[in-house]
Amino acid sequence: MPHRFPRILACGDSALSVELSDTIDEGVNARVIALADSLAVDPIAGVEDVVPTYRALLVHYDPAVRRGGDLAPLLLDRLERLTAAPNGGRQFEVPVVYGGSAGVDLDDLAAMKGMTTDALIALHARSHYRVHMIGFAPGFAYLGGLPEALHTPRLSVPRQRVEAGSIGIGGRQASVNSVAGPSGWRFIGRTPLRLFDPARPEPCLLRAGDRVRFRPVGPDEGAALERAVAKGEPIAGVPL
């Protein structure tokens, strides 16, 4: 039987998952983020934290304050009264050095797609992306909006280490790595921006709902931007 949405599932004794769909959709994701924002601005007693995903919102609560059975109808009522804004969020221009040691899959991916590397870079960089969720690692950004021509399966054997800032493609998703680690995504470049920095007041640079455009830069400009980031200097196109 097909599921009816929205539905609420218990996740242990101190969390509920408010599921809005079983597919990835920008409108659904906008409603998830709108619910998370609403709970941040106008909290429900007992709710301690929320985690937005592509199609659901995980709501952590204190069972000593409110039981899950009492919280569920309040969440559904809040959801019915929401107005979502799919085009909301902050705007980011992310500089990227394409190819080279950080873009190890660029040449192979271009050959696979029957494109020149310049054509692939241009297609990737002129597209509009939306941060659907932050997850997997602190600050790791899952992006919607990847052109269909660039949809590509992940590698059959993951690499053991991919550097922070690497720009990836996995299936129909794009990504920006936040920390170094293993990955089976295909990587075409790297940004000098730090997606995760625990020394910042807000450690994660991007939030769910933000909008992203990629800007190709050369190696020299990329190195200069990396030095500026290390000094904590403001970067054009990156909201403070």
Side-chain angles (χ1 to χ4, degrees):
M1 293 290 292
H3 297 304
R4 297 185 63 182
F5 298 97
R7 66 173 182 166
I8 295 185
L9 302 177
C11 300
D13 63 355
S14 61
L16 297 175
S17 177
V18 184
E19 297 196 338
L20 303 189
S21 178
D22 57 2
T23 59
I24 295 175
D25 177 85
E26 185 162 321
V28 167
N29 185 249
R31 292 182 70 208
V32 169
I33 293 168
L35 180 57
D37 291 344
S38 173
L39 292 170
V41 172
D42 182 16
I44 295 175
V47 172
E48 297 186 321
D49 193 17
V50 295
V51 182
T53 70
Y54 276 107
R55 60 181 186 87
L57 183 71
L58 184 65
V59 180
H60 294 275
Y61 65 92
D62 182 351
V65 176
R66 189 183 297 276
R67 304 300 295 175
D70 298 328
L71 178 58
L74 298 177
L75 294 172
L76 290 175
D77 178 68
R78 180 71 64 92
L79 186 62
E80 290 179 0
R81 295 186 282 111
L82 286 178
T83 300
N87 295 319
R90 301 170 299 170
Q91 303 281 335
F92 282 80
E93 183 179 80
V94 175
V96 179
V97 179
Y98 286 93
S101 60
V104 291
D105 295 305
L106 178 63
D107 292 341
D108 288 345
L109 192 59
M112 184 189 305
K113 301 297 183 182
M115 302 178 181
T116 65
T117 56
D118 286 345
L120 192 152
I121 291 169
L123 178 58
H124 184 266
R126 71 169 175 257
S127 301
H128 296 260
Y129 299 88
R130 184 172 185 276
V131 181
H132 280 297
M133 62 178 282
I134 301 296
F136 171 67
F140 183 98
Y142 287 91
L143 307 179
L146 183 72
E148 187 174 355
L150 296 183
H151 293 185
T152 310
R154 293 171 175 80
L155 297 170
S156 57
V157 179
R159 294 185 176 91
Q160 292 304 299
R161 182 181 174 90
V162 176
E163 296 303 319
S166 297
I167 306 298
I169 291 173
R172 56 186 290 191
Q173 304 170 102
S175 70
V176 187
N177 269 25
S178 55
V179 296
S183 178
W185 293 53
R186 299 173 192 265
F187 291 93
I188 59 175
R190 181 176 176 273
T191 179
L193 301 183
R194 294 181 179 176
L195 273 288
F196 178 72
D197 184 349
R200 288 193 302 243
E202 188 172 350
C204 297
L205 181 65
L206 298 175
R207 306 173 195 150
D210 286 342
R211 319 294 294 193
V212 171
R213 291 291 301 274
F214 293 112
R215 178 172 67 90
V217 300
D220 290 344
E221 184 177 354
L225 287 169
E226 191 147 17
R227 291 191 294 271
V229 168
K231 295 176 183 178
E233 297 175 355
I235 303 298
V238 179
L240 296 175

